[in-house]
Amino acid sequence: MTNEHARTPVTKAVVPAAGLGTRFLPATKATPKEMLPVVDKPAIQYVVEEAASAGLSDILMVTGRNKRALEDHFDRAYELEELLTRKGDHDRLRRVQESVQLANMHYVRQGDPKGLGHAVSVAEQHVAGQPFAVLLGDDLIDPRDPLLARMIEVQQELGGSVVALMEVDPAQIHLYGCAAVKPNGFGEDVFQVTDLVEKPDTADAPSNYAVIGRYVLDPTVFDVLRETPPGRGGEIQLTDALRELATRDENSGGPVYGVLFKGRRYDTGDRADYLRAIVRLAAERDDLGPEFRTWLRQFVAVEMQG
């Protein structure tokens, strides 16, 4: 793998979306967890909008059984559009059509749910030897904090692969992949990753830098994933493959860099954080915020009195 190859422009994104969403049962019994609404848009649309805003016009969604609603959401809805046109409801028509116009969408099924590393590996043919982004649907990044664009910038300048890092309370690090890092000199927010551990015990964690759900990967990761045995939970872990790449130089697919993110992130994979995300985003909306914030203050005041 040459440095020239690593500088190939990043135009493709992979969005793993095959999970069963068991933490949200029974809501996800028949509805994909990615389609749960965050205010008035499904969570997955925020992710696709983020990719499109970063210039990624080609998006592959890795799905599974009972995920047809994802494809339908990013497809035309002719009957609905015709109805809204006849009613003259141009605002809702625009919002319905937005999801169709975001990017060129493609879909592939993961088959057996063997972990994030396996989900990424099924994208190999679509990626076609180019560096690519991976966006996890449970992490919503506020559009005012262009994390993905910064990660692409770092990858284009330095090559290799790039992961997103966030400082967390040490007591919470066992919930994440964890990175050991050293200064890189490219910027205050950029580090070189020297080691990665998937969900370590607090006492064994090399840092409190958690890996969150954004990656820009060198295509060499596919070669490594083919040789990566099942890890934690009996699944093929992307963290394990990146750990191998972190030991390599730029001529063999490495190294791995981390971009430290200090912006606004909404975790929709946890029920309590999902509710907090809805409250935060609704409170900041021009059309909903003023009335909603007034009600929220009144609600909190009553609860505090009780």
Side-chain angles (χ1 to χ4, degrees), residues 123-189:
E124 181 175 9
Q125 184 175 358
H126 184 82
V127 167
Q130 301 177 26
F132 62 102
V134 175
L135 297 87
L136 304 190
D138 289 346
D139 279 335
L140 304 189
I141 304 298
D142 194 291
R144 293 167 293 185
D145 301 311
L147 169 63
L148 186 57
R150 174 58 172 162
M151 294 174 68
I152 292 172
E153 177 188 17
V154 171
Q155 196 280 334
Q156 292 289 280
E157 183 68 26
L158 302 178
S161 296
V162 183
V163 300
L165 303 177
M166 182 182 68
E167 289 190 86
V168 300
D169 187 312
Q172 299 297 311
I173 196 64
H174 68 282
L175 301 173
Y176 300 88
C178 176
V181 302
K182 65 181 181 181
N184 171 259
F186 185 68
E188 292 185 357
D189 62 334

Side-chain angles (χ1 to χ4, degrees), residues 83-163:
L83 173 64
L84 294 173
T85 299
R86 290 201 307 268
K87 293 175 63 176
D89 195 340
H90 301 297
D91 181 57
R92 286 191 174 88
L93 177 63
R94 175 187 56 79
R95 284 186 277 165
V96 165
Q97 292 176 334
E98 278 180 350
S99 62
V100 182
Q101 300 165 349
L102 287 170
N104 296 319
M105 302 295 298
H106 309 271
Y107 305 89
V108 64
R109 289 197 174 189
Q110 181 179 1
D112 295 332
K114 298 179 181 177
L116 177 58
H118 180 258
V120 171
S121 72
V122 303
E124 181 175 9
Q125 184 175 358
H126 184 82
V127 167
Q130 301 177 26
F132 62 102
V134 175
L135 297 87
L136 304 190
D138 289 346
D139 279 335
L140 304 189
I141 304 298
D142 194 291
R144 293 167 293 185
D145 301 311
L147 169 63
L148 186 57
R150 174 58 172 162
M151 294 174 68
I152 292 172
E153 177 188 17
V154 171
Q155 196 280 334
Q156 292 289 280
E157 183 68 26
L158 302 178
S161 296
V162 183
V163 300

Side-chain angles (χ1 to χ4, degrees), residues 164-268:
L165 303 177
M166 182 182 68
E167 289 190 86
V168 300
D169 187 312
Q172 299 297 311
I173 196 64
H174 68 282
L175 301 173
Y176 300 88
C178 176
V181 302
K182 65 181 181 181
N184 171 259
F186 185 68
E188 292 185 357
D189 62 334
V190 180
F191 300 90
Q192 183 165 339
V193 175
T194 59
D195 196 12
L196 287 159
V197 184
E198 180 65 20
K199 296 182 179 178
D201 293 335
T202 301
D204 299 327
S207 74
N208 67 328
Y209 288 126
V211 179
I212 59 175
R214 297 295 181 270
Y215 309 81
V216 181
L217 302 179
D218 185 279
T220 306
V221 72
F222 295 119
D223 298 329
V224 178
L225 284 169
R226 276 192 289 273
E227 304 298 325
T228 300
R232 189 179 180 92
E235 298 181 334
I236 298 174
Q237 298 290 348
L238 181 60
T239 301
D240 292 340
L242 289 170
R243 186 182 192 186
E244 166 62 26
L245 288 179
T247 67
R248 299 186 179 188
D249 62 27
E250 61 184 1
N251 294 315
S252 56
V256 175
Y257 301 99
V259 170
L260 182 60
F261 180 63
K262 296 183 178 180
R264 289 154 284 202
R265 168 181 174 261
Y266 312 105
D267 183 358
T268 60

